[in-house]
Amino acid sequence: MSTLFRKIRYLDEAAQNLIEGDLLVQGGVIADFGQNLGRPDGAAIVEAEGAVLAPGLVDLRASLGEPGFEYRETIASAAEAAAAGGITSIAVLPDSAPPIDDPALLHLIISRGVETGSVSLLPYAAATRGLRGEELAEYGLLKAAGAVAFTDGGKAIASSRMMRLALAYAAGFGMRIVQHPEDAELARGGAATAGARATWMGLPGIPAAAEAICVARDIRLAKLTGGAVHFAHVTTGEALDLIRTAKDKGLKVTCDTAPPYFDLNETAIGDYRTYCKLSPPLRTETDRLAVIAALADGTIDAIASDHQPRDPDDKRLPFADAAPGGAGLATLLGVTLARVQEGQLTLPQALALLTKRPAAWLGIEAGVIARGRPADLVLFHPERSWQVQAGALPGKAQNTPFDGRALEGVVLGTWKSGKRVYG
Amino acid sequence: MASLKHLLGIEGLNPVTATSLLDLAESYVLLNRSGKTQRDLLRGRTLINLFFEDSTRTRTSFELAGRRLGADVVNMSVATSSVTKGETLLDTAATLNAMNCDLLVVRHNRSGAPHLLAEKVGAAVINAGDGTHEHPTQALLDALTIRRNKGRIAGLTVAICGDIAHSRVARSNILLLTMMGNFVRLIGPPTLIPGGIATSGVSVFHDMEEGLQGADIVMMLRLQKERMTGGMVPSTREFFAYYGLDRRKLGFAKPDALVMHPGPMNRGVEIDSAIADDAARSRIQEQVEMGVAVRMAVLDTLARG
């Protein structure tokens, strides 16, 4: 089976700009691309008419409802949302029930991904047994079973001693520890970023410094142990400054952020909108701008969906009781492209943050258009617009913090190993 | 006056609306004192007092206000376990809709709970205190008490003392008093002053002597016992020594400064009994009387809206 994409715009890796051409997929891999490719016998034709063909997005961070929270989302429904969002690989957090802290559970996640036929699931494994923060998980066995890195998901590894052990032990296997960067004691019970807004809404606050304090400690522990630390969904300028400095010093430090943190600020929680209750919480406008600056200067290594499926019953509660987290698979591309439209990122920068850089971080053969690579592709029209609507999103989870937002960048089709899985 | 659908907070009121509520309440003070009633005003209307948190005085005040205007008043106390309270809230909303309730008075220990209910019920919702967010009728009754004693509710210096961080009374009072053109001083230990509270017209003090200078009104807040267990203040003894209102500290305020407290008081923690019971200075009993009148004005206004 082969497919010829005609009149696409694609990213020329050497020149770092978009060029027009054709792309041929044969046997599930990218066979050729360039100007005026011939049409092999029997090849299906996709007339792109100037739409952009990019590598399928590589999502560095998502929780899926399965196993344990199928009422929120199943892997099948998450795969549907991912395909509609142009995502073909997802690094899956281990905070399911049971938590992914055993090789057999890694096999389960990986094989459930294969079953979907549309998205590769790359599992993180628990950094500590049962995500309890008390004892190390079996990093060697978990790595052998396919773990991409170790993390306690949305829970910070709170103990300095535990974090030191985790970083040191993981380094022995050449693996990273992914931290939810938040000082657990300072954040306990909090529902919004501490400050005037939380005070006037009567919500318990989490100081923005809770992030920087954890990042500062863990950078120091990475230095002490020689380990590699990755900070997930970084949201504050102060933490990003620390990460930037650590990177300049050559420490093994990387980080990602997620669309809500560069598209929304704390004002979004006005009127107690629980769909905008996230962990970490939405920050001030100053921090939002600092995240954009760190995307532009390369400090941030990837943009992840930070997808956290929630049921209406998890959210239709008083704000302090509502479960944090937002659905993010369907909006990852569109919200990122908004930064291009506003001139804060170039299109090659934005695409690299969604494809090439997270793929390199994960060490997978994805994220670039190259001959012989699996044909994981997304075709999107960057100038066409759509409106995000909770209730009408693909997949089961509808808890988007972007409800009502108009986005430019319509996914026309998604291909996994050459097979069309959306559009 | 502009029609009000709900009273969820002082936020959302403007000085004109607030003044007409106070004026209407004033007329109800006279009516209540005359021993007459106006039972035709809310005849046939149903008022439900939905209390997720115990509060005998606020509930009783709303109940009296409703009855004096002729409404059918039903009290519902909902016991809350920490796990089920959310479910209870929306289930209760559905039940209330089925009962065709007209006026719904809500007290809940979570900020924003009345807002959530207001989205789901047909009744006019009155916030009778939500978490650490707002308690609008308390601020209105405080304003009425001040206006009756000082002849105005503008250009005064009002000191609010104690646990500002966990006080919905403080938030509603700050909003209303600054909106009406008064100066508000917040006095308390730094651990009980929340970040970002000092908006325009508000200043923060950690010392009673300094903060009470020139104050026309000294408003004391209740210190919740659990704040001690949370470690925000080391002991009631130390709290009383530095932030409890006694005769000596009251001396820093204006000679004719009046003392207020939303109740219930912790005598010997935030206020000395000698001050609380001093008829020349304390307006604590009058606040209770004004509470009924203000709630009548709110119910009347919302029922018309």
Side-chain angles (χ1 to χ4, degrees):
Chain A
M1 195 185 82
S2 53
T3 307
L4 179 67
F5 294 84
R6 273 212 295 232
K7 283 201 174 168
I8 59 166
R9 281 184 285 163
Y10 67 99
L11 187 62
D12 181 70
E13 287 292 340
Q16 284 294 297
N17 59 16
L18 287 181
I19 55 174
E20 282 194 15
D22 302 338
L23 183 144
L24 179 66
V25 172
Q26 271 178 327
V29 299
I30 298 168
D32 199 7
F33 55 91
Q35 311 300 313
N36 304 315
L37 298 186
R39 178 186 181 178
D41 289 341
I45 302 282
V46 175
E47 296 288 356
E49 293 171 342
V52 174
L53 189 69
L57 310 190
V58 178
D59 184 359
L60 202 53
R61 181 182 178 85
S63 282
L64 308 182
E66 197 179 333
F69 301 97
E70 288 82 358
Y71 73 97
R72 291 173 170 167
E73 183 180 66
T74 61
I75 284 176
S77 79
E80 186 193 333
I87 298 166
T88 51
S89 302
I90 301 177
V92 182
L93 292 172
D95 45 6
S96 47
I100 308 303
D101 62 354
D102 186 276
L105 293 165
L106 288 168
H107 292 309
L108 170 77
I109 300 291
I110 294 166
S111 59
R112 295 286 282 120
V114 173
E115 277 171 33
T116 68
S118 63
V119 63
S120 302
L121 299 185
L122 308 154
Y124 288 104
T128 67
R129 247 180 236 273
L131 310 175
R132 284 187 299 271
E134 290 160 4
E135 48 183 335
L136 293 175
E138 298 163 313
Y139 292 179
L141 298 176
L142 292 165
K143 180 189 178 188
V148 293
F150 303 105
T151 180
D152 279 355
K155 259 176 79 180
I157 299 166
S159 147
S160 304
R161 176 180 171 275
M162 195 69 238
M163 189 62 178
R164 177 190 178 181
L165 289 174
L167 284 166
Y169 192 67
F173 294 101
M175 296 287 274
R176 291 190 181 92
I177 298 295
V178 175
Q179 175 71 302
H180 168 73
E182 189 172 58
D183 183 285
E185 278 289 304
L186 284 176
R188 191 165 51 188
T193 294
R197 177 152 297 266
T199 290
W200 286 105
M201 289 179 74
L203 296 175
I206 301 173
E211 183 172 286
I213 288 168
C214 182
V215 166
R217 180 197 75 171
D218 291 350
I219 287 172
R220 188 63 190 82
L221 290 173
K223 191 175 167 193
L224 177 70
T225 58
V229 63
H230 176 87
F231 298 108
H233 48 211
V234 181
T235 62
T236 64
E238 200 182 352
L240 288 163
D241 287 344
L242 292 166
I243 292 166
R244 192 178 284 117
T245 307
K247 283 185 157 194
D248 288 347
K249 287 183 183 161
L251 294 172
K252 292 174 197 154
V253 174
T254 51
C255 70
D256 69 70
T257 193
Y261 303 113
F262 55 77
D263 199 68
L264 301 172
N265 63 29
E266 57 175 355
T267 60
I269 67 169
D271 297 326
Y272 301 98
R273 284 186 58 202
T274 55
Y275 277 19
C276 291
K277 182 180 178 183
L278 306 175
S279 173
L282 290 171
R283 305 295 190 186
T284 61
E285 178 64 5
T286 310
D287 279 327
R288 186 185 79 88
L289 295 174
V291 170
I292 292 173
L295 287 169
D297 73 12
T299 302
I300 295 174
D301 298 274
I303 297 171
S305 74
D306 208 12
H307 178 73
Q308 298 281 337
R310 296 290 179 256
D311 182 76
D313 286 346
D314 299 324
K315 288 288 190 182
R316 282 187 201 139
L317 293 170
F319 197 88
D321 297 327
L329 297 173
T331 49
L332 175 60
L333 178 65
V335 180
T336 302
L337 290 176
R339 303 285 77 76
V340 178
Q341 280 124 26
E342 289 177 22
Q344 293 151 329
L345 296 178
T346 64
L347 186 61
Q349 275 181 316
L351 288 178
L353 284 159
L354 295 171
T355 58
K356 188 167 67 172
R357 295 178 69 190
W361 189 96
L362 289 163
I364 58 170
E365 275 220 327
V368 287
I369 288 185
R371 288 177 186 85
R373 288 292 181 98
D376 292 358
L377 298 164
V378 54
L379 183 69
F380 66 93
H381 203 298
E383 286 92 28
R384 253 182 242 168
S385 67
W386 62 292
Q387 192 174 30
V388 183
Q389 211 186 327
L393 288 175
K396 195 167 177 190
Q398 298 295 319
N399 55 306
T400 173
F402 300 109
D403 192 18
R405 181 139 176 18
L407 291 176
E408 287 179 46
V410 170
V411 175
L412 304 172
T414 306
W415 286 260
K416 179 70 183 173
S417 297
K419 189 185 80 167
R420 188 162 195 158
V421 294
Y422 175 76
Chain B
M1 66 184 280
S3 74
L4 277 180
K5 171 91 176 82
H6 305 288
L7 181 68
L8 298 177
I10 296 299
E11 192 180 19
L13 293 185
N14 56 45
V16 177
T17 319
T19 303
S20 21
L21 281 171
L22 296 180
D23 292 345
L24 186 57
E26 188 87 48
S27 72
Y28 282 124
V29 173
L30 302 175
L31 183 80
N32 289 340
R33 286 186 177 175
S34 73
K36 291 181 197 149
T37 54
Q38 278 215 327
R39 296 197 192 273
D40 51 325
L41 260 174
L42 294 183
R43 190 180 303 283
R45 305 286 190 115
T46 305
L47 182 160
I48 297 185
N49 268 323
L50 180 61
F51 277 58
F52 292 85
E53 216 180 50
D54 281 341
S55 167
T56 313
R57 53 169 63 217
T58 305
R59 183 178 51 72
T60 310
S61 181
F62 271 106
E63 187 174 348
L64 260 180
R67 288 195 198 285
R68 284 191 181 158
L69 295 175
D72 297 320
V73 181
V74 181
N75 290 319
M76 287 176 69
S77 290
V78 188
T80 57
S81 80
S82 58
V83 195
T84 58
K85 67 174 83 92
E87 237 96 9
T88 310
L89 193 61
L90 288 190
D91 292 348
T92 312
T95 310
L96 295 169
N97 274 337
M99 289 176 179
N100 295 316
C101 150
D102 300 293
L103 294 154
L104 181 64
V105 176
V106 185
R107 152 93 38 122
H108 199 284
N109 65 350
R110 291 300 197 194
S111 302
H115 304 66
L116 187 59
L117 270 175
E119 286 173 18
K120 306 285 175 191
V121 297
V125 174
I126 298 138
N127 181 359
D130 65 322
T132 53
H133 178 228
E134 280 227 48
H135 191 353
T137 56
Q138 179 71 44
L140 287 165
L141 76 87
D142 288 342
L144 183 60
T145 307
I146 294 170
R147 195 174 79 168
R148 286 171 57 87
N149 280 280
K150 295 289 176 187
R152 64 196 158 107
I153 184 71
L156 298 169
T157 297
V158 181
I160 306 178
C161 315
D163 183 2
I164 312 290
H166 303 95
S167 177
R168 53 195 173 212
V169 174
R171 284 173 180 70
S172 286
N173 264 307
I174 296 166
L175 290 170
L176 184 58
L177 290 167
T178 53
M179 179 174 86
M180 304 302 282
N182 300 284
F183 307 100
V184 174
R185 293 162 169 213
L186 305 176
I187 313 173
T191 47
L192 295 178
I193 304 278
I197 194 88
T199 48
S200 95
V202 179
S203 40
V204 172
F205 298 85
H206 304 303
D207 179 279
M208 286 283 264
E209 178 167 0
E210 217 184 312
L212 289 180
Q213 294 292 334
D216 296 290
I217 303 287
V218 182
M219 209 179 264
M220 301 308 295
L221 299 172
R222 178 179 168 80
L223 182 75
Q224 310 280 345
K225 287 279 175 6
E226 56 265 29
R227 301 310 159 219
M228 246 73 69
T229 51
M232 293 182 150
V233 290
S235 69
T236 50
R237 160 172 99 163
E238 173 147 314
F239 185 81
F240 185 74
Y242 288 90
Y243 299 103
L245 188 67
D246 55 15
R247 186 76 59 196
R248 184 185 66 87
K249 296 198 197 85
L250 184 56
F252 302 133
K254 276 192 186 164
D256 62 347
L258 296 174
V259 176
M260 298 169 68
H261 191 298
M265 286 179 279
N266 287 312
R267 291 167 183 265
V269 177
E270 70 262 354
I271 190 163
D272 189 37
S273 276
I275 301 295
D277 301 333
D278 179 351
R281 307 300 291 274
S282 166
R283 289 296 173 272
I284 296 170
Q285 294 310 312
E286 188 178 340
Q287 284 175 275
V288 178
E289 184 193 356
M290 293 308 116
V292 178
V294 154
R295 284 160 186 140
M296 288 169 81
V298 168
L299 295 176
D300 182 2
T301 304
L302 288 179
R304 286 170 208 242

